[in-house]
Amino acid sequence: ALDDVRQMRLTEIEAIDAGTKAQLEANLADAQNAAQRKAARTALIDTPLDPARTVVRVSPATTADHPLDLQALRRTEYTTVMLAKTEDPQQIRDLAPLDVVVLIETPLGATRARDIAATSNCIGLMWGAEDLVAGLGGTSSRFGPGEARPGEYRDVASWVRSMVRIAAAAYGKFAVDSVHLDISDVDG
């Protein structure tokens, strides 16, 4: 488990040149193409980080990349993952004994946030507005210029944000409301 959720590092892997980057960022779920995802898995294995402070984001359970991500993960000492587009408690149970931070970012996942939070190896929840709104056929999670509340989240995004926080609190899990993207600013 993570030593301190405030200090967790979400690893993000894209096509990384390990010789020029001092930090490995490993994001198996968001690599753009098959070659990048393969490179991400190799970097995950070849560039170890502190397992107590690292969360490896894996591809959604419904994708062909998910089992490949888990195969690479088994060759490491990481014990905490973030499951992209979590939609069903069974997807979390299937990852045991790993600790799982779930990412609620689809309409189905949003409707099941309570049951997802109740899963024993779910340690925390996070929400994702853009994929959620795209899953509803929308184009932006926030109101734009000339709309009712420019820059604010649309009501559906605010509702899911609230539901994720409530589900997390109800089951004693942490909720990640936002991320700090300046990786070089560790005090952020």
Side-chain angles (χ1 to χ4, degrees):
L2 295 173
D3 288 341
D4 184 342
V5 70
R6 292 168 297 174
Q7 296 296 317
M8 74 179 180
R9 172 185 284 154
L10 176 60
T11 58
E12 296 192 32
I13 296 177
E14 294 171 355
I16 291 177
D17 175 358
T20 60
K21 270 200 163 182
Q23 281 183 327
L24 167 67
E25 315 220 346
N27 187 341
L28 302 176
D30 279 347
Q32 298 298 312
N33 59 49
Q36 287 178 328
R37 289 188 297 272
K38 183 177 180 181
R41 291 182 197 105
T42 300
L44 180 71
I45 295 164
D46 292 346
T47 314
L49 297 171
D50 179 1
R53 292 192 44 180
T54 304
V55 178
V56 179
R57 185 171 173 202
V58 296
S59 299
T62 57
T63 66
D65 283 303
H66 184 74
L68 299 174
D69 292 353
L70 297 181
Q71 183 178 19
L73 190 66
R74 282 193 283 283
R75 296 181 57 196
T76 72
E77 297 195 19
Y78 300 118
T79 59
T80 306
V81 297
M82 176 178 280
L83 180 59
K85 298 184 179 174
T86 306
E87 294 184 322
D88 189 292
Q90 187 60 48
Q91 294 171 339
I92 305 157
R93 287 190 290 270
D94 289 345
L95 292 172
L98 296 171
D99 290 329
V100 182
V101 178
V102 299
L103 188 47
I104 305 293
E105 55 186 336
T106 68
L108 184 57
T111 64
R112 294 177 171 171
R114 182 181 64 101
D115 295 333
I116 287 169
T119 308
S120 64
N121 60 318
C122 169
I123 62 167
L125 292 87
M126 184 170 169
W127 71 294
E130 296 309 319
D131 284 335
L132 172 71
V133 170
L136 296 168
T139 57
S140 176
S141 65
R142 295 180 185 262
F143 289 104
E147 292 186 287
R149 301 182 314 260
E152 291 183 26
Y153 280 115
R154 295 184 184 279
D155 293 341
V156 69
S158 293
W159 180 80
V160 171
R161 179 187 199 183
S162 296
M163 290 306 301
V164 167
R165 293 176 76 183
I166 290 167
Y171 289 96
K173 312 299 170 82
F174 68 81
V176 178
D177 189 57
S178 63
V179 295
H180 179 72
L181 298 176
D182 184 357
I183 305 260
S184 63
D185 178 10
V186 295
D187 295 324

